[in-house]
Amino acid sequence: MTDFIVPKLSYVQLSPILIVLGGALIGVLIEAFLSRKVRPIAQLTITLGSLILALIQLWHIRHESSLTAAMGSVAIDGATILMQGSILLIAILAVALIADNEHFTVLAAAVPGSPEERDSLQSGEKLTEVFPLTLFAVAGMLLFPASNDLITLFVALEMLSLPLYLMAGLSRRRRLMSQEAALKYFLLGAFSSAFFLFGAAYLYGYSGSVSLAGIRAAVVGGSGNDVFLLMGIAFLSIGLLFKVGAVPFHAWTPDVYQGAPTPITAFMAAATKVAAFGAMLRIFYTSLANANWDWRPMMSIIAIITMLFGSVVAIAQRDVKRMLAYSSIAHAGFLLTGVIALNKSGLDASIFYLFAYGVATVGAFGVVTLVRDSSGEVTDLNKWAGLAKRSPFAATLFAGFLLAFAGIPLTSGFIGKFSIFSAAYESGNKSLVIVGVLSSAIAAYFYIRVIVLMFFKDAADDGTSVIIPSILTRSTLIITSVITILLGVYPAPLLNFINSLASFVR
Amino acid sequence: MNPANYLYVSALLFTIGAIGVVVRRNAIVVFMCVELMLNACNLAFVTFARINGNLDGQVVAFFTMVVAACEVVVGLAIIVTIYRSRRSASVDDASLLKR
Amino acid sequence: MNMLTSLMLLPLIGALLISALPTTKSLLAKQMTLGTTLLVAIGVIVMAIRFDTSKTDLQFVETHSWIPTFGINYSVGVDGIALVLIILSALLAPIVVLAGWNESSGGRWSAKTFYILVLVLETMIIGVFSANDLFLFYVFFEAMLIPVYFLIGGYGTGQRNAAAVKFLIYSLLGGLLMLASIIALYVLSGEQSGHTFNINTLSQLQMSSTTQNLLFLGFFIAFAIKAPLWPLHTWLPDAAQSATPGTSVLLLGILDKVGTFGMIRYCLTLFPEASKTFTPLILVLAVISIIYGAFLAIGQKDLKRLIAFTSISHFGFITMGIFAMTSQGHSGATLYMFNHGFSTAALFIVGGWMMSRRGSSKISDFGGLQRVTPVMAWSFFIAGMSSLALPGLSSFVSEFLVLVGTYTRYPVAAIIGTFGIVLAALYILIPVQRALHGPTMPGNEALSDLNLREKIAIAPVIAIIIALGFYPSPLLNIINPASTHTITQAGFTDPLAQIDPKAGK
Amino acid sequence: MTSNSLVYLIALPLFGAAVLLLSGRRSDRWGHIFGTLMSAGSFAVGVSLFLKMLGNPTGERALTQKLFSWISVGSFQVDAGLLADQLSICFVLLITGVGTLIHVYSIAYMSHDLDRRRFFAYLNFFIAAMLLLVLGDSYLNLYVGWEGVGLASYLLIGFWNQKPTYATAAKKAFVANRVGDMGLSLAIMIAFATLGTVSFQGVKEHASQASTGSLTAIGIMLLVAATGKSAQFPLQAWLGDAMAGPTPVSALIHAATMVTAGVYLITRSNFIFDLAPTAQLAVAIIGAITLLFGAIIGMAKDDIKKALAASTMSQIGYMVLGAGLGPAGYAFAIMHLLTHGFFKAGMFLGAGSVMHGMNDEVNMRRYGGLRKFMPITFATFGLGYLAIIGVPPFAGFYSKDKIIEVAFNAGGVKGIALGTAALLGAMITAFYMTRVVILTFAGSKRWDDKAHPHESPFLMWAPMVLLALGSVASGFFFTHGNSLRNWLAPVVEATPSHEGELLSPAVVSILALVLVAIGVGYAIIKYLLNEVPQVAPADVTVFTKAARKDLLQDNFNEAVFMRPGQSLTRGLQVADTKLIDGAVHGIARLAIGSGNLLRKTQTGFVRSYAMWILAGAIALVATIWVVTL
């Protein structure tokens, strides 16, 4: 019998994840033991506190690089640090939106329209479970791009997904839609997880190892059964592509984005994308890099379809959240070109793009939370007509985020688009660049259409108004817009930072 | 016995599960089909563990079971909530969000 | 600080100051805008005086590292061609402000916003002409669209939303195609000399002719949309019809010159071989533009659309001059850009006054204005004469240089282009006859003639039109070294006369 | 020799125009006098320059002045330079001399017009532009003046543009001129591409080195330019309509000066035409055609000004014919140009005087017997008449007979054809001019009682008298001792020797006089001895009908250029909106349409989403399989 080996864990390197997890657990305890009155403020403090603390801790370990943080299960390297930093920052900004309890039902279990629900609403109580759920999801997201073996990957995937399934169903208004979003998200998410796991099984079968390093070694060696490898790549990709919302695994995106409470949509649209692409980049850049002849053609086709589909269908949308969902699909396509690029500039560009896109997304959904009428948020685009008259502030911010999505110079989106397309071009994928450029033009059309609507159309007198945002929401909006502009005007520091840090430890 | 046969079974189970998800209307059944797929994966893992001669695959299978259990918790919660609101467990009824 | 940077900052500072004003103080906003644009104009004139016409390289150069990761610099500098266009912009800006004093009042938003947009636009215009870094150029090139878009959509008339969107989409499409080419250049530079956007370095890149042709097209289509060349022109009449006259001046007079400027500065410099390959095709398009624009101008019933189509014809001339690859063609084209700026400005400004007084832009609604408002009618007439390139007015010099420069290398194109001058007579004289001559039509009897402000605004335009017709040397001296340099760089020399004029002596 | 005073010739009237235009109504009271003084001042400068030239030896008479470098790009160098040689100075004196007389005339003629000041501004502007045309030292400088006079002509034809037909006439003139201008600019381009220069001096020096083909091309293009400006076939249609302008304008611009610019251009370019015989022949043929064309139209016109305009066209045809006959003819072309300047201007002023007395009636069928009421007008008009039909010793006799003579002696079939045409033209001229005189001044009165014919005031008849003196004496003066020919010799290099004469001068003169007598006699029989109806008879030959309609030139232009042009414009408009913009919108609609279509894939059913995932999975596996195989 072999000796029991004490697992060696590097708590410092894992500290950001652990802090967030700790915060989540404290949050659960708060739910259990604190009175309803103090819960909101306590939860908010704990949530923001642990996120900020994690971010600070992350800054301290930014130059660390090791495979041994958790016995080879977690890779701490520049890429991880950057992804985790992006996720944490986005989470902080999103939590500021989530803090506006107006969006959430008080009693998630209550049947819509039941006396129970009415009572709970009248009691003036607030839903606070969402905070620990958020923290759990964040912890999963932090782990996902850092995962260095298939088990951790799968666990992290579920860890980030399960809380999100629940959070999607917490909306106060339009409960049926919200629940439907949760159901769809859950069923399809579980479905795709199964594909992911099936793929993982085949990769394990191919390489005889669950660690990414082991798979890499097998791919380099080329001794295994290629059928297993190909099956593995295909099925594993499905799980990842589902999470990023690539066509044809995108179908949940518009429905869930629309149905979920807007702050949650903001959070998951931005942060999930970072986490999923982080994991994807790690897998494809390290383990499967040498098999790129096998997966590049398929990924290129998906990227092309995704870019075009997202852009084209977005044109026809009449709901602002759905439009942003399709826009996020198109952006997933753009980001895929960074994965396909498979070079250092592709990695840098993808990280920059994810951060820039995530921040702008939080900002854009943040603006969506402000536009309301008597029945809650107004997401019907027709009712957004003349928004600039109602609130120049909101309209201008939203226009700014849209221009960033469209990739207009002097916004972060342009630098992101430039860097990711140039990385793709550098790797020889010229057709991707052409399609990317064309679909950017199509995409520009619907972004501009919304700007026209807000600025050049007259407002109908339909009770739509723009509320005055709370301090937290306001600061999110201001920070996101400042970052969006700053990264467009002077991106050099961040690009340098990414350039110096971003790499995968192998 | 050829270990490949276990793989065929696993693939068959996975396919049945996947088709079940697509074909069945009841949310619970759909969910069970997903579980079937996960178990197909488990079978594949265990088989591969056997083929490769290490235990990693079996470890994964344990993790999968735990995760699946968690999924059940969350999933049933969601399904029950929606059943209470709609008085129906058919996934086709929940189609407010479209286009 | 470098002059160019200061000149770029000046309007931006003005815009910031104005944005601090309360919305109600629109008069102060106007005065401040006028003051700022005048300051810029003075600065540009000082710069023009300090410009050394004996050098061919860029002057007033300033370079700072901007995004070192991609080798992007903030690098500005002007040669003669760019300087002339900056002069054009700086001179037209205060005139537009003064001429369109009340233009901002009919818009969706306050006058303040209008002038902020105008000033921001001026900064970008100076930037786009002075950029010496391809990336910087692209940033200005695209960012410029946004203020114009809001100027058209927010302050225009009629189908302004559709026109603004059309303008933006067209421009963005072109811009994105150019972006693809820029990315390719960037990657190539990375392979050959280290990532850079410096235009000089980029012009020395080695590439296969297929690559060069494709990249050239990316740039050219963007510029051909901007300039606009047939058949990519349809956004222009719509935009001009919907925009306020002042915006139209900025759009047609200045912004569209970025297209033709880009052809000289980027297409020819970066892709000399491809430029040669595509010259026949481009000349055909240019000639079609000349004739097509003229015919459509003849048929227009709306004054603004008419001016827009005349511009399409004129841009055909400019493009033809550029791709004739002779020093006469090039200098003529550059001078043409300048002169077209002023003659179009005159047409739009005076036309704008006519339209705002009459409350209609339909030519048939006017009639007999020469009796009612002689000064306004005369101003319009002179603007029209300048547009048809009457000798003695500035545009004649440039148009003739373009034609003669084209003839020495591509006689057929020049001959067909020459037909344009007959059509020009028609498209100017028909509206002149309908609007200014004939009996005074009902509705026009009580129109008021130009007031002092308007006279002050139009006088310098007309003065420049006439003065440069007789004495274009100051500008030609600035332009000539640069255009000769461009031609040489692209690997061309002027065709010699059949006989050497000096041999006979 | 350089001279610094050349520029004043142009500057004075230009300054006059600028002052009159810019000062507006403030100068209404003294504007006409100021304008006249500026023109007179220019005339004075011209005379002094002429005297200065006379004082110089023959070879050194040409005066030049370089003002500044106008356009300088690469090898394209054009100076703003002026050249007054023996040819130019003739024109300078004609333009400023006749011009000043017409200014004086206009003071009275336009005294009732509210816009008299503006009229004088235009006249001054015209003088300046016309002087620039004849003084420019390069083709490009000439071009500036060339279009400048076109503009002046446009402004003056449309002086009463509140009348739509007048405005249309102005536009028509400008456009027709522009067609000619296109020829001129092409000629300049070819000249530059061939010879590397566009200055008269440079082209003259290098012309012999150029290929005949290029020179022919230049020559033909210059001819196109001349046909536009000088109302020659086939660009002649505008001249008749141009009579819409005030009569002094018709006298100055559309008779004496501007319309002769084509003859100046051809004569000036003698160094090209002499080396390009084909082009030269084309010039002669165009001249011959036009002289008959104009004369035929002249026979049918009842409008006194239009009859005179047709006559102008015809007479310029003579000049162009002369210029097309090469060195032998240049001097006579110029001579006819100068004498024509006197007598035609005189007659136009006479016509203006008649109109002035007849309530602006222009229809000669409503005149008749006016000689009693307007004796001075009748006398001056009569002298001009004698000059134009070529009765010795009046001016026309000398100049026209010489052209006919040179034409006959051009040699071969060409000589006979051209000479015959010219002779025939002389006969027709005699007929229609006699007709004009008879209808206007002789016979019985045909006007109604509203008209009160009276003699014009002094300011009007004095210029007419002076011009009549010119019509009488100038021919003799120019031919005496071959003075004009010798004077012009350094410019046009006249070589009097031609290979044998077909017809001697005396024979030509006699032939011409006989034909003129026939023409006059027929006119007398037809219009003096027979009753003239007040309304033009309708039952006339097809030929007369066509002549009344300017030999269908407008119909031709309409059918061949205008209508197709309009259809093309409309067609292009449709194409622009439907085809080009339609394609753009089509692409947009395609994007939106496919968006709407693809949107339907989002059914809302979770099972269909799962189906997508499953299908995607199968496709993915298939793709990977295909790629790796």
Side-chain angles (χ1 to χ4, degrees), chain A residues 348 388-389 399 403 406-410 414-415 417-419 421-423 425-427 430 433-434 437-438 440-442 444-446 448-449 451-452 455-458 488-492 495-496 499, chain C residues 65-70 72 108-109 124 135 138-140 142-143 145-146 149-154 160-161 164-165 168-169 172-173 176-177 179-180 182-188 191 195 197 211 215:
Chain A
D348 293 2
K389 270 269 183 285
L403 291 177
I408 302 290
L410 298 181
F414 173 63
I415 304 287
K417 210 162 254 178
F418 170 78
S419 51
F421 284 159
S422 56
Y425 193 94
E426 206 172 320
S427 67
K430 291 170 192 166
V433 178
I434 306 282
V437 160
L438 283 179
S440 297
I442 302 172
Y445 177 74
F446 63 80
I448 289 164
R449 214 175 53 118
I451 295 181
V452 167
F455 284 86
F456 301 154
K457 289 270 157 68
D458 292 317
V489 177
Y490 193 55
L495 284 169
N496 278 338
N499 187 33
Chain C
S65 182
W66 180 22
I67 310 179
T69 324
F70 300 142
I72 298 168
R108 282 182 181 280
W109 308 302
M124 286 166 173
F135 193 90
Y138 185 76
V139 167
F140 282 124
E142 291 279 277
L145 305 174
I146 304 301
Y149 170 69
F150 283 107
L151 281 174
I152 297 175
R160 54 187 175 185
N161 303 346
V165 171
L168 194 57
I169 295 291
L172 278 179
L173 180 68
L176 285 165
L177 290 177
L179 179 64
I182 290 177
I183 286 171
L185 280 179
Y186 164 78
V187 171
L188 279 172
E191 287 162 7
H195 286 307
F197 284 97
T211 317
L215 300 191

Side-chain angles (χ1 to χ4, degrees), chain C residues 368 370-371 433 436-439, chain D residues 105-106 108-119 122 152-170 241-250 305 352 355-356 360 362:
Chain C
Q370 201 180 47
R371 308 276 139 188
Q433 186 190 347
L436 309 184
H437 297 166
Chain D
Y105 178 91
S106 308
Y109 188 84
M110 299 293 286
S111 59
H112 301 301
D113 198 294
L114 285 173
D115 289 320
R116 181 166 67 169
R117 168 195 54 85
R118 197 155 53 82
F119 183 77
Y122 293 168
S153 156
Y154 168 79
L155 291 171
L156 284 164
I157 295 171
F159 186 73
W160 291 314
N161 59 36
Q162 62 270 43
K163 253 187 134 169
T165 49
Y166 287 14
T168 308
D241 293 359
M243 295 301 123
T247 310
V249 172
S250 312
K305 286 180 72 180
M355 286 158 60
H356 191 75
D360 287 333
V362 291

Side-chain angles (χ1 to χ4, degrees), chain A residues 180-194:
Chain A
E180 180 183 328
L183 180 72
K184 282 179 172 170
Y185 195 14
F186 166 72
L187 285 179
L188 294 171
F191 189 52
S192 71
S193 299

Side-chain angles (χ1 to χ4, degrees), chain C residues 51-255:
Chain C
F51 185 83
D52 185 349
T53 54
S54 62
K55 290 190 198 155
T56 55
D57 44 355
L58 297 179
Q59 300 181 35
F60 306 103
V61 173
E62 183 184 8
T63 305
H64 300 292
S65 182
W66 180 22
I67 310 179
T69 324
F70 300 142
I72 298 168
N73 289 320
Y74 170 82
S75 173
V76 290
V78 287
D79 63 357
I81 298 171
L83 178 65
V84 163
L85 291 170
I86 293 177
I87 297 173
L88 166 73
S89 328
L91 292 184
L92 276 183
I95 290 168
V96 165
V97 173
L98 193 62
W101 201 245
N102 301 320
E103 209 161 78
S104 53
S105 57
R108 282 182 181 280
W109 308 302
S110 62
K112 180 180 123 177
T113 317
F114 182 86
Y115 289 102
I116 291 173
L117 289 172
V118 168
L119 286 174
V120 169
L121 186 60
E122 188 175 18
T123 295
M124 286 166 173
I125 288 168
I126 298 176
V128 83
F129 287 129
S130 56
N132 186 32
D133 181 283
L134 188 54
F135 193 90
L136 183 66
F137 169 79
Y138 185 76
V139 167
F140 282 124
F141 184 83
E142 291 279 277
M144 219 162 57
L145 305 174
I146 304 301
V148 181
Y149 170 69
F150 283 107
L151 281 174
I152 297 175
Y155 296 89
T157 50
Q159 299 281 320
R160 54 187 175 185
N161 303 346
V165 171
K166 201 169 178 183
F167 157 78
L168 194 57
I169 295 291
Y170 254 109
S171 306
L172 278 179
L173 180 68
L176 285 165
L177 290 177
M178 183 160 85
L179 179 64
S181 287
I182 290 177
I183 286 171
L185 280 179
Y186 164 78
V187 171
L188 279 172
S189 79
E191 287 162 7
Q192 292 178 21
S193 62
H195 286 307
T196 182
F197 284 97
N198 181 292
I199 294 159
N200 276 335
T201 321
L202 290 180
S203 68
Q204 276 141 29
L205 290 179
Q206 305 293 318
M207 45 189 142
S208 72
S209 59
T210 322
T211 317
Q212 202 177 103
N213 287 344
L214 287 174
L215 300 191
F216 171 86
L217 279 183
F219 275 82
F220 184 78
I221 292 172
F223 294 141
I225 286 175
K226 197 117 232 175
L229 206 57
W230 186 89
L232 303 171
H233 64 278
T234 53
W235 64 270
L236 185 72
D238 290 1
Q241 188 180 15
S242 303
T244 61
T247 311
S248 297
V249 174
L250 295 176
L251 183 65
L252 279 83
I254 305 175
L255 282 180

Side-chain angles (χ1 to χ4, degrees), chain D residues 2 43 80 151 185 202 258 265 276 304 335 360 365 379 437-438 440 460 468 486 497 532 553 572 574 602:
Chain D
T2 57
F43 179 62
L151 174 64
S185 55
M258 185 191 87
L265 181 67
I304 185 168
M335 191 201 290
D360 287 333
R365 291 185 186 273
V437 171
I438 292 172
T440 309
M460 277 171 72
N486 293 339
S497 65
V532 179
Q553 53 193 15
L572 286 179
V574 173
Q602 198 74 11

Side-chain angles (χ1 to χ4, degrees), chain A residues 124-136:
Chain A
E125 287 164 1
K126 285 168 180 166
L127 176 111
T128 45
E129 305 94 284
V130 71
F131 291 103
L133 284 174
T134 308
L135 283 181
F136 277 121

